[in-house]
């Protein structure tokens, strides 16, 4: 009986995701490949691993045991891959970073350009997402995150302190300054649905006009003059058609960090990227706070 790792990993993914489509997405193969590997694993083991139901694949107890062992093998595989990646001294090949979308256009673009110019043999892959990717599973090599604490299991370096403040279109900003007691309409994020705390007593009348679930849409609404919004200083300052208004004085906000798994952190590619990133961060401090360090 010879078990194939791809088949065991497929059983593991099908136990996790319960459907052929879900396992196929996780493995980056098509669902027919998943079905074929499961049949081959069942034939090799001489056991039925899944009940085929109308709403998905129901794992048997044997399948759960197989998945448990496969999970340990998967962990060992990631341990080995991280070790090899951390020991890699070549400045060639693929290097993957992840960062929030809005941080890329407003801050990281020059870093990407400088890094590419300095290391043309490295293929830089950028995953633009607000999701917290799993660096233990090598979903990315380094992550740039906005966080108060990047976590105890990761190696991290704080790049920048930052603050938030209120911004509006130039026309609305002029009106607010000229008529401070008029009602001020706010554009807020769904997670924080109320008028921000700490507004200046010089602007006593505030109400929420719109709630959004997307920051890009909020910026667009503010550019169109639909209200005031609170955003990090760097974002408001680098977004055309917005200017700071004194309704909400600058307030501390989560720091910007670069983080990585301790195994991957020492790699030459990770070191090279951090050097370019740190240099750019030092040059850019003034746009992140009301008073640079």
């Amino acid at each position: 009986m010879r078990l194939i790792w791809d088949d065991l990993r497929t059983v593991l993914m099908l136990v996790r995701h319960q459907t052929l489509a879900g396992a196929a997405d996780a493995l980056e193969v098509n669902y027919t490949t998943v079905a074929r590997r499961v049949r081959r694993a069942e034939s090799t083991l001489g056991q039925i691993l899944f009940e085929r139901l109308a709403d998905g694949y129901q794992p048997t107890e044997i399948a759960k045991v197989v998945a448990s062992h496969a999970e340990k093998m998967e962990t060992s595989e990631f341990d080995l891959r991280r070790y090899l990646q951390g020991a890699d001294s070549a400045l060639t090949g693929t290097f993957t970073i992840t960062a929030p979308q809005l941080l890329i256009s407003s801050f990281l673009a020059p870093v990407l350009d400088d890094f590419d110019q300095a290391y043309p043999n490295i293929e830089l892959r950028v995953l633009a997402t607000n999701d917290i990717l799993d660096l233990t599973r090598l979903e990315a090599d380094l992550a740039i995150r906005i966080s108060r604490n990047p976590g105890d299991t990761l190696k991290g370096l704080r790049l920048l302190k930052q603050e938030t403040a209120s911004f509006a279109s130039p026309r609305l900003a002029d009106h607010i300054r000229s008529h401070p007691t008029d009602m001020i309409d706010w554009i807020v994020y769904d997670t924080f649905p109320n008028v921000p705390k700490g507004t200046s007593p010089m602007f006593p009348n505030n109400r929420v006009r719109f709630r959004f679930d997307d920051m890009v849409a909020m910026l667009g609404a503010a550019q169109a003059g639909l209200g005031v919004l609170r955003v990090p200083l760097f974002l408001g300052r680098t977004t055309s058609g917005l200017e700071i208004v004194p309704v909400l004085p600058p307030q501390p906000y989560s720091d910007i960090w670069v983080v990585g798994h301790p195994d991957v952190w020492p790699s030459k590619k990770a070191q090279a990227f951090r050097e370019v990133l740190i240099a750019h961060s030092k040059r850019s401090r003034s746009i992140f706070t009301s008073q640079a360090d």
Side-chain angles (χ1 to χ4, degrees), residues 10-11 13-23 31-32 34-39 42 48-60 63-64:
T10 299
V11 171
M13 293 302 164
L14 193 50
V15 169
R16 282 179 180 168
H17 298 282
Q18 304 285 300
T19 66
L20 292 178
Y31 72 90
T32 58
V34 174
R36 183 177 70 252
R37 289 178 180 176
V38 169
R39 289 194 300 270
E42 289 179 328
I48 299 298
L49 299 176
F50 297 91
E51 296 180 37
R52 279 70 166 172
L53 305 176
D55 59 348
Y57 276 52
Q58 181 68 39
T60 63
K64 293 177 183 178

Side-chain angles (χ1 to χ4, degrees), residues 2 11 24 46 54 95 112 130 180 208 222 230 236 239 241 245 265 283:
R2 185 184 176 201
V11 171
F95 186 71
L112 307 183
N130 290 320
V208 172
R230 176 180 62 180
T239 300
V245 288
W265 190 264
R283 294 192 300 267

Side-chain angles (χ1 to χ4, degrees), residues 2-281:
R2 185 184 176 201
L3 294 170
I4 299 172
W5 168 228
D6 278 347
D7 295 348
L8 294 176
R9 181 166 53 184
T10 299
V11 171
L12 171 61
M13 293 302 164
L14 193 50
V15 169
R16 282 179 180 168
H17 298 282
Q18 304 285 300
T19 66
L20 292 178
D25 286 344
L27 293 165
E28 298 182 344
V29 299
N30 58 53
Y31 72 90
T32 58
T33 298
V34 174
R36 183 177 70 252
R37 289 178 180 176
V38 169
R39 289 194 300 270
R40 187 167 60 196
E42 289 179 328
S43 176
T44 301
L45 293 168
Q47 300 279 351
I48 299 298
L49 299 176
F50 297 91
E51 296 180 37
R52 279 70 166 172
L53 305 176
D55 59 348
Y57 276 52
Q58 181 68 39
T60 63
E61 290 304 313
I62 293 295
K64 293 177 183 178
V65 172
V66 171
S68 176
H69 285 274
E71 192 166 38
K72 295 175 184 176
M73 295 170 66
E74 180 190 52
T75 298
S76 295
E77 179 189 17
F78 281 122
D79 289 346
L80 175 60
R81 287 173 57 191
R82 289 195 312 272
Y83 170 80
L84 294 173
Q85 205 148 328
D88 184 12
S89 61
L91 292 171
T92 60
T94 303
F95 186 71
T96 303
I97 68 163
T98 180
Q101 295 96 321
L102 290 172
L103 199 60
I104 292 172
S105 60
S106 301
F107 169 63
L108 286 177
V111 176
L112 307 183
D113 187 36
D114 289 349
F115 183 79
D116 182 64
Q117 296 289 337
Y119 303 99
N121 294 322
I122 298 177
E123 180 187 352
L124 187 59
R125 182 168 173 252
V126 181
L127 304 179
T129 178
N130 290 320
D131 295 336
I132 304 299
L133 300 189
D134 191 342
L135 304 186
T136 299
R137 300 174 64 85
L138 293 174
E139 293 181 349
D141 298 309
L142 287 179
I144 293 89
R145 291 181 178 168
I146 298 174
S147 175
R148 298 191 186 280
N149 185 346
D152 295 334
T153 62
L154 299 176
K155 187 84 172 179
L157 176 67
R158 185 170 63 188
L159 296 169
L160 292 157
K161 296 179 181 179
Q162 61 172 337
E163 295 173 335
T164 61
S166 51
F167 286 81
S169 67
R171 182 176 177 180
L172 180 56
D174 286 343
H175 179 86
I176 289 171
R177 294 188 188 100
S178 302
H179 303 83
T181 59
D182 281 4
M183 182 62 68
I184 294 175
D185 292 324
W186 279 85
I187 300 165
V188 300
Y189 197 66
D190 247 347
T191 309
F192 305 98
N194 302 312
V195 172
K197 296 180 180 179
T199 55
S200 170
M202 295 179 61
F203 305 93
N205 298 310
N206 296 267
R207 67 183 179 188
V208 172
R209 185 181 183 194
F210 296 110
R211 288 169 52 189
F212 283 81
D213 66 349
D214 179 81
M215 183 58 73
V216 174
M218 291 173 65
L219 290 168
Q223 288 170 315
L226 301 186
V228 175
L229 83 168
R230 176 180 62 180
V231 291
L233 275 173
F234 85 90
L235 185 55
R237 285 170 167 169
T238 57
T239 300
S240 62
L242 291 181
E243 63 180 62
I244 195 166
V245 288
V247 180
L248 184 71
Q251 299 176 338
Y253 189 55
S254 300
D255 300 327
I256 297 177
W257 295 74
V258 57
V259 297
H261 193 280
D263 292 345
V264 177
W265 190 264
S267 78
K268 292 298 183 182
K269 287 194 282 287
Q271 289 180 39
F273 187 83
R274 289 198 304 272
E275 287 175 1
V276 177
L277 177 62
I278 290 167
H280 179 66
S281 298

